[in-house]
Amino acid sequence: MVEPWQAPSQRVVWSVAGLLAALSDSIAARFGAVTLSGEISGFTRAGSGHCYFSLKDADGQQATLRCAMFRRAAGLVDFAPRDGALVEVRGRLDLYAPRGELQFIVEAMRRAGAGALYEQFLRLKARLEAEGWFDAARKRPLPAFPLRLGVITSTAGAALHDVLTALERRAPHVEVVVYPSLVQGEQAPAALVQALAVANERAEVDALLLVRGGGSLEDLWAFNDERVVRAVGESALSVVCGVGHETDVTLCDLAADLRAPTPTAAAELASPSRRSQLELLDVLERGLTRQLRSRLDAQAQRLDRAGMRLARPSDTLARQQRRLA
């Protein structure tokens, strides 16, 4: 229970910085060096070499702790940390004063096995691969000159903007049909399956782009859902999958007809460059013109030679008249 206000001479008023510093000292004195185990989520490596990520509870509890691993410590790690990896970290708790956030300063990290989500990913990948969903024989070529492309993504995400920008720059003549869908969360797999079904039922586009921006393994998990993977593999329309960043690989990437490293790359791979096609037409036009002129010149010379072999009609007529006389 909060005590009532005391007289000014009796109460202690903390500054924010002073309170956070006192809390930081108390935490350091109480815990000292700490070893944690958990699952990496949202791992990023800054240009400075420092690494930032969250450590999730490995037992599935709703608990997350922000972590920072500075360049010196990151350089001593003998493996590549990734989302979903189960690790043990040693370090100290600290309060980050600018935001008033509790964080864990990682001084050492080692493997502790694969994370639960990543293990699930590997098991499902092995099963679907054994069923042939990722076979190269299933891959179909994309249409060489599409006139209309379908895009399955969230209308609120940056991926749609990236695709539209790339198509406007690269192939402004290509029409775009958007099939809106959730791309994250528990409802996303069903929404993605529905969007794929609608696009195939309407059959109004030449190919489909299945895209979304980057994120952690949890953020992209809808694209590892078995229902979505099978829907991509069963699509009558060719599918280009561009999910996450270049290093992100989902099961939908493996089942699609073509994997793109980013949404922008998906748009570029699905549409030929208008400029390059016009340049190719110019080259072909010049080549055909040269061939036509060469052919006409050759036929003209042939005609001249044939004309030289023929006598003038009046000379022939005079010769025949003399023979007749």
Side-chain angles (χ1 to χ4, degrees), residues 273-287:
S273 169
R274 182 175 183 270
R275 177 180 297 178
S276 64
Q277 295 303 310
L278 290 175
E279 291 175 352
L280 177 60
L281 286 176
D282 288 339
V283 171
L284 294 175
E285 181 185 17
R286 291 193 294 269

Side-chain angles (χ1 to χ4, degrees), residues 195-230:
L196 284 162
V198 169
N200 278 275
E201 181 180 353
R202 293 182 181 175
E204 58 190 348
V205 297
D206 299 314
L208 289 173
L209 308 183
L210 181 64
V211 297
R212 73 146 283 166
S216 65
L217 182 63
E218 297 91 334
D219 295 338
L220 305 180
W221 192 250
F223 297 88
N224 293 319
D225 188 281
E226 183 174 356
R227 293 167 292 174
V228 182
V229 177
R230 292 182 182 274

Side-chain angles (χ1 to χ4, degrees), residues 295-309:
R295 180 67 62 86
L296 289 175
D297 290 342
Q299 294 301 323
Q301 293 175 8
R302 181 182 177 188
L303 183 61
D304 290 341
R305 289 193 296 270
M308 293 175 63
R309 288 196 299 269

Side-chain angles (χ1 to χ4, degrees), residues 170-185:
R170 183 178 178 84
H173 61 283
V174 174
E175 297 182 27
V176 177
V177 179
V178 180
Y179 302 96
S181 173
L182 297 172
V183 293
Q184 184 174 336

Side-chain angles (χ1 to χ4, degrees), residues 286-318:
R286 291 193 294 269
L288 288 174
T289 300
R290 285 195 300 269
Q291 291 182 21
L292 179 60
R293 287 176 179 173
S294 177
R295 180 67 62 86
L296 289 175
D297 290 342
Q299 294 301 323
Q301 293 175 8
R302 181 182 177 188
L303 183 61
D304 290 341
R305 289 193 296 270
M308 293 175 63
R309 288 196 299 269
L310 291 174
R312 293 177 61 183
S314 58
D315 294 342
T316 303
L317 181 59

Side-chain angles (χ1 to χ4, degrees), residues 15-99:
S15 67
V16 175
L19 179 59
L20 291 176
L23 289 173
S24 180
D25 291 341
S26 298
I27 291 172
R30 170 66 176 82
F31 292 97
V34 177
T35 300
L36 290 175
S37 67
E39 185 178 311
I40 293 178
S41 175
F43 183 89
T44 59
R45 187 185 297 271
S48 61
H50 304 326
C51 300
Y52 303 94
F53 57 94
S54 294
L55 205 61
K56 296 175 55 179
D57 189 88
D59 297 326
Q61 300 294 322
Q62 294 294 325
T64 304
L65 181 62
R66 291 291 301 166
C67 298
M69 182 168 57
F70 299 125
R71 182 174 60 184
R72 181 188 60 79
L76 299 176
V77 178
D78 60 355
F79 65 98
R82 58 189 301 174
D83 285 2
L86 192 63
V87 297
E88 288 185 0
V89 294
R90 188 178 70 253
R92 55 186 174 81
L93 286 166
D94 182 42
L95 273 176
Y96 183 59
R99 288 199 296 265

